[in-house]
Amino acid sequence: MSALRGYTVPRTPTGLASLVPPPPWHYVGDFLVVDFHADPEDAVSLLPEGLDPHPDAGRCAAVFADWQSCSEDGDELLDPARSHYKECYLVVNALLDGQEVTTCTFIWVDQDFAMARGWIQGFPKKLGEVWMTRTFNLPTRAAPALAPGSRFGATCSARGRQIATARVTLREPSASGSVHTDPPIVNVRHFPRLAAGRHDDPQVHELVRSRSRDRSVSEIWEGDAELELFDAPGEEHTLLRPVSVGRGYRFTFGYTVDDLETVKELGR
C-alpha cells in the first residue's frame, strides 16, 4: 500500500490534490494601504496574549492587496485560477518584548488556497470579495497612472455585506512608505480541539513571527486617503473604525516565504 502524500489535505498517492503545495511560496502583489488611528482602548482589546500596547496605542492600517503567487515549480502561473487572489486586512501596532510589531486582527480573502495558507501562517482569514483599481503600462483614461492626481479605490465585502472601502489620491513619491505597516507581523496560530471536555484546550495556540526573504518593492507613491469600515452581522472589525485617517500608499511588493518563527507557546 502506497503512503498518502500532500502538504495539506486532501492527501493522495501523488499529493497533487493538496489544497496548499509545500513551500517555498513566491508572492507579488499591488497594494493600496491606508494608515489610520482607531480608538486606543478598542485597538488594545484586540491584542493577543504576549503583545503589549504600542505607545501610540490606536495606530492601525488597512491593507488591500491584489496578489499573484506560486510554489517552486511555478505551475500555478499557467493556471491563473490557482495563482490569483485578492485580500483586505487590518493591522494593529503593538510591542513584543519592547520592539515594535504589527498584528493582523481581521482579514478577508477570495480564494480557498490563500485562506488555508494564511491559517498555516497565523492569519485569521475569512472568505470575502475584494476589488481594487488596477493600473496598466499604457496612457489611457481607463488606467490611472502612478502620477500626481491619480485616484485608486478598493472595496471589501463578505456574505453579501459591505466591510470596507478605501480611496487614495496620489500626490507624490513617498520618502518613508506606510509607517503603520512597517514593523514585522506577529500573529497567533490557533487550532482548536473537538474532543469532548477539551474545547477550551486548543491543539495549537502559539505566537508566531512572519519570516520572508528575497523581498523587493517598487517605488511607493502616497497621497490623501479615505477609509470607511461598515457594520456587518458576524463581524467585529468596526472595533477599529477610524477616528482619524492618515496618508494612503500605492506600490507593488514581492517576497518568498518558507519559514515561520514560533515566538512563544500561549496559555501554557
Side-chain angles (χ1 to χ4, degrees):
M1 180 180 295
S2 61
L4 297 183
R5 302 171 59 189
Y7 185 69
T8 62
V9 294
R11 304 181 77 237
T12 65
T14 66
L16 295 178
S18 179
L19 180 58
V20 177
W25 305 318
H26 307 286
Y27 301 81
V28 65
D30 288 332
F31 280 68
L32 199 69
V33 177
V34 176
D35 286 348
F36 70 97
H37 281 80
D39 178 84
E41 290 188 7
D42 288 337
V44 169
S45 76
L46 291 167
L47 297 182
E49 177 188 353
L51 295 186
D52 297 315
H54 191 277
D56 187 3
R59 201 166 82 167
C60 303
V63 180
F64 295 82
D66 185 355
W67 288 109
Q68 181 166 285
S69 68
C70 68
S71 51
E72 187 67 2
D73 64 11
D75 179 64
E76 300 95 327
L77 299 180
L78 300 180
D79 185 10
R82 295 189 293 130
S83 64
H84 290 186
Y85 68 98
K86 297 186 289 295
E87 63 189 5
C88 166
Y89 60 92
L90 303 176
V91 298
V92 175
N93 284 219
L95 297 179
L96 173 63
D97 298 329
Q99 300 298 311
E100 289 190 347
V101 297
T102 59
T103 187
C104 180
T105 54
F106 302 100
I107 179 169
W108 297 265
V109 66
D110 62 6
Q111 283 269 33
D112 57 359
F113 70 84
M115 184 167 69
R117 194 167 58 190
W119 289 356
I120 293 167
Q121 299 175 79
F123 288 90
K125 294 191 178 186
K126 301 172 72 171
L127 286 177
E129 188 174 54
V130 179
W131 295 97
M132 295 173 57
T133 306
R134 295 180 292 174
T135 188
F136 294 86
N137 191 28
L138 283 175
T140 169
R141 178 66 175 167
L146 297 179
S150 291
R151 299 185 299 168
F152 290 81
T155 65
C156 175
S157 62
R159 303 188 187 97
R161 272 83 171 205
Q162 193 168 22
I163 297 295
T165 63
R167 293 181 178 179
V168 175
T169 301
L170 301 184
R171 297 302 180 195
E172 59 198 356
S174 177
S176 63
S178 165
V179 174
H180 296 197
T181 60
D182 186 56
I185 292 182
V186 174
N187 290 326
V188 174
R189 277 174 29 101
H190 179 94
F191 292 90
R193 295 182 197 268
L194 188 55
R198 302 190 68 185
H199 296 170
D200 294 328
D201 177 22
Q203 186 81 37
V204 176
H205 192 54
E206 59 187 14
L207 198 66
V208 296
R209 187 187 340 245
S210 297
R211 298 177 65 91
S212 61
R213 58 180 173 86
D214 301 335
R215 298 160 65 94
S216 59
V217 63
S218 70
E219 181 179 50
I220 301 172
W221 277 75
E222 68 173 68
D224 309 320
E226 303 171 32
L227 176 67
E228 291 187 82
L229 304 182
F230 303 94
D231 292 319
E235 305 288 358
E236 295 186 78
H237 63 291
T238 50
L239 282 168
L240 298 179
R241 181 170 276 128
V243 296
S244 65
V245 176
R247 303 291 278 173
Y249 305 87
R250 176 63 168 74
F251 57 93
T252 301
F253 178 49
Y255 63 99
T256 293
V257 171
D258 56 7
D259 193 12
L260 186 70
E261 177 189 354
T262 300
V263 176
K264 62 180 68 175
E265 298 286 339
L266 301 177
R268 295 289 190 266

